[in-house]
Amino acid sequence: MNIKDKLIIKIAKFSKFLLKLTNHKATSLPGKIAYNLDNDILDALSENTKFIFVTGTNGKTMTTHFVTNILRKHYKNVFTNDSGSNMIQGIITVLLDIPKNENALAILEVDEANLVRISKFLKPDYVILTNIFRDQMDRFGEIYNVYKKIMDGLGECSDVKIIANGDLPIFSYDELKKYNPIYYGIREDDKKSNSYNLEAEFNSDGILCPKCNSILKYKLVNYSSLGDFSCPECDFHSPKLSYNIGEIISMDANFSKFKVNGEIYETQIGGFYNIYNALSAIALAKELKIPYEKIYEGLKFQEHVFGRQEIIKIENKEVIINLVKNPTGLNQIINLMLLEKEPISLYCLLNDNYADGTDVSWIYDSYYEKLKKLNIKSIKVSGTRKTDMKRRLEIADIYGGEIVEIDYENEIFDNIKNEPTEKIYILSTYTAMLRLREVLKLK
């Protein structure tokens, strides 16, 4: 590391210190300062560090936390961007804290569009691919554009090992298979059809065969286009799984217990989609030869992370916050909410800033109508597109009363305190969630 690099790192670290001193989050600005001073600063920051990347549309943050929690049971110096700041400036900010005279391991959540930029400087030993779904259409376009961005990023890597979701058809394309991916998936034996006669969920992405454009058929559909698939007209089909959940023993809103290759695991995080996230972490840990006991402990004691079924108390109210950003992710959260037995109040915060996606039409591709099964006593909407959110919920016809528009930045406490229910669910887009956390004084 030369004198220039050392000086830049000191400046960035000092800015991080000042931000924390003034009670500001130092998740990306220090990295932005360093990057503006030297676009190649990542090269200097990567010394003595091995890297594991986690990328994809949904599940990056939770998977990164699962992996980090497990690996900290086994390794000494483990670092991560646990705030979810997954673009280049956020990653630089994390690497500023890694001691340069010791070997370290960094588990990094990487934005799928930024994978190619990051991989030019940081060479991961492993990349976990969670999934690819429609998300921020104004930024990414269709799923095939996201796939290309990921493939371009992998092209910058050398000797990388890929751990991929084998239940997603797009990860079985030939371009990815040349990396000899290690596949994981969920194939519950008691839920399989006898033949490939099932169709993917309505409005699913990527269900055309890449070889002959026929519509894929399924023996098992877990959700969206995830499952055991095969083309009825050619030889394209699901890959062989190295890590397979053959049985989900139990699952509720705050707990999951399942069996992977004959071994039982459990986690205090609910949701079918989070079982996939846990499975990808197990696959990585197994590849790293982590003992079963440490994997089990790392998963079992994983806590909720910000905006992912995060539970906070406001006086006598229990508030559950969930980040929503695309139809598939929102639909899975809705399915999780349907496990709720008590009456609830519902808050929907919809922003259209760049980090959220300026196109909010995705709310019409989501299954809000399912929420009619819940006992909803009150609905509030807020955010820059609260009027659109209100209209969507009116169309869904899930509540007989008036849907009220509020200013969550100034009115959230009073509204929550006066709700008629003890439980309040908040569904929020990314920038609204960040601001909400500031208002609620959450770290």
Side-chain angles (χ1 to χ4, degrees):
M1 187 181 298
N2 58 40
I3 295 175
K4 178 187 174 184
D5 291 334
K6 290 179 179 179
L7 180 59
I8 290 171
I9 290 171
K10 283 186 178 181
I11 292 170
K13 281 187 172 182
F14 184 64
S15 72
K16 192 171 185 178
F17 168 75
L18 289 178
L19 285 168
K20 289 186 174 181
L21 193 66
T22 55
N23 292 320
H24 288 85
K25 292 182 179 179
T27 58
S28 62
L29 183 57
K32 185 176 182 180
I33 291 170
Y35 185 71
N36 286 342
L37 292 172
D38 183 0
N39 289 352
D40 295 333
I41 194 64
L42 273 173
D43 196 30
L45 290 169
S46 65
E47 294 178 4
N48 301 321
T49 303
K50 291 188 175 182
F51 296 94
I52 296 168
F53 291 174
V54 180
T55 194
T57 304
N58 293 337
K60 294 187 292 293
T61 299
M62 199 69 243
T63 297
T64 300
H65 278 262
F66 277 135
V67 171
T68 302
N69 214 33
I70 291 169
L71 297 193
R72 281 180 173 160
K73 306 293 180 185
H74 193 72
Y75 296 103
K76 178 183 176 184
N77 293 319
V78 178
F79 295 83
T80 186
N81 50 341
D82 53 7
S83 69
S85 185
N86 59 23
M87 296 189 185
I88 194 164
Q89 60 268 27
I91 288 171
I92 291 172
T93 301
V94 170
L95 299 185
L96 291 171
D97 290 334
I98 296 180
K100 300 306 169 227
N101 57 347
E102 297 182 37
N103 292 327
L105 181 61
I107 299 99
L108 299 177
E109 174 185 337
V110 179
D111 174 80
E112 48 271 42
N114 275 260
L115 182 64
V116 66
R117 297 174 67 193
I118 304 297
S119 297
K120 287 180 179 178
F121 300 100
L122 308 181
K123 304 303 178 184
D125 291 313
Y126 289 88
V127 175
I128 296 176
L129 303 178
T130 60
N131 48 60
I132 299 177
F133 297 118
R134 255 179 302 140
D135 181 48
Q136 296 186 41
M137 297 290 288
D138 53 300
R139 179 176 171 224
F140 290 124
E142 285 292 346
I143 63 169
Y144 307 102
N145 293 330
V146 180
Y147 177 72
K148 184 180 184 305
K149 290 178 186 295
I150 289 176
M151 294 309 304
D152 289 345
L154 294 179
E156 296 288 339
C157 302
S158 56
D159 298 322
V160 64
K161 295 180 181 178
I162 309 298
I163 296 177
N165 190 335
D167 289 348
L168 192 73
I170 203 167
F171 287 155
S172 287
Y173 287 11
D174 289 341
E175 299 95 328
L176 185 61
K177 278 199 166 182
K178 71 181 182 182
Y179 290 94
N180 296 315
I182 299 155
Y183 285 112
Y184 62 88
I186 301 175
R187 306 283 174 79
E188 293 181 89
D189 294 332
D190 61 344
K191 294 184 179 179
K192 287 182 181 179
S193 173
N194 292 326
S195 61
Y196 289 97
N197 58 1
L198 303 176
E199 295 183 350
E201 284 187 352
F202 173 74
N203 205 24
S204 293
D205 306 311
I207 58 173
L208 293 181
C209 173
K211 294 185 176 181
C212 69
N213 284 326
S214 297
I215 297 176
L216 298 176
K217 295 292 186 178
Y218 288 76
K219 189 177 282 188
L220 170 71
V221 178
N222 290 320
Y223 68 84
S224 187
S225 58
L226 292 170
D228 184 357
F229 57 86
S230 180
C231 177
E233 303 296 335
C234 73
D235 62 352
F236 182 74
H237 58 83
S238 291
K240 181 179 179 181
L241 302 179
S242 296
Y243 300 96
N244 173 35
I245 291 180
E247 180 185 3
I248 296 177
I249 299 169
S250 60
M251 179 176 63
D252 60 33
N254 294 293
F255 178 78
S256 298
K257 188 175 184 178
F258 47 88
K259 189 179 292 186
V260 182
N261 294 8
E263 294 178 331
I264 293 176
Y265 297 90
E266 59 184 80
T267 177
Q268 307 301 316
I269 310 295
F272 198 96
Y273 57 100
N274 277 319
I275 294 179
Y276 268 110
N277 297 334
L279 177 58
S280 66
I282 292 169
L284 174 77
K286 286 290 187 180
E287 291 298 310
L288 292 174
K289 310 300 182 186
I290 308 295
Y292 165 76
E293 293 77 14
K294 292 183 178 180
I295 302 174
Y296 179 88
E297 186 179 359
L299 288 178
K300 183 173 182 178
F301 296 104
Q302 172 63 56
E303 297 178 348
H304 292 280
V305 300
F306 61 94
R308 279 77 177 177
Q309 301 173 45
E310 183 179 19
I311 301 174
I312 64 170
K313 289 284 187 180
I314 297 178
E315 291 191 354
N316 64 331
K317 307 294 185 181
E318 181 178 281
V319 182
I320 303 102
I321 304 173
N322 275 295
L323 171 68
V324 296
K325 61 175 188 167
N326 56 51
T328 301
L330 174 55
N331 289 340
Q332 284 302 296
I333 290 169
I334 288 173
N335 286 342
L336 184 62
M337 289 174 64
L338 295 181
L339 298 174
E340 182 61 65
K341 303 300 182 184
E342 299 178 24
I344 69 163
S345 298
L346 176 64
Y347 285 61
C348 294
L349 314 183
L350 180 65
N351 276 2
D352 62 350
N353 298 316
Y354 175 77
D356 307 295
T358 57
D359 180 357
V360 299
S361 63
W362 61 271
I363 62 176
Y364 286 91
D365 293 325
S366 304
Y367 303 151
Y368 285 103
E369 283 75 8
K370 284 187 176 182
L371 292 174
K372 195 166 188 175
K373 297 177 182 178
L374 295 177
N375 185 4
I376 300 175
K377 299 295 187 180
S378 168
I379 296 182
K380 305 289 193 306
V381 295
S382 193
T384 58
R385 299 296 290 270
K386 60 187 176 184
T387 302
D388 298 85
M389 191 70 253
K390 179 179 180 179
R391 181 59 181 151
R392 175 66 184 97
L393 295 177
E394 287 173 342
I395 291 171
D397 191 25
I398 60 174
Y399 175 59
E402 180 186 2
I403 298 173
V404 179
E405 296 183 16
I406 66 168
D407 174 6
Y408 76 93
E409 295 187 46
N410 297 302
E411 302 173 355
I412 192 76
F413 279 107
D414 288 340
N415 276 276
I416 287 176
K417 291 173 184 177
N418 293 318
E419 290 298 348
T421 64
E422 292 184 1
K423 284 193 175 182
I424 294 98
Y425 278 82
I426 299 179
L427 306 181
S428 174
T429 52
Y430 183 69
T431 62
M433 185 193 73
L434 293 182
R435 180 59 184 144
L436 175 66
R437 293 180 62 79
E438 291 177 359
V439 171
L440 297 178
K441 295 181 169 37
L442 301 175
K443 294 182 179 179

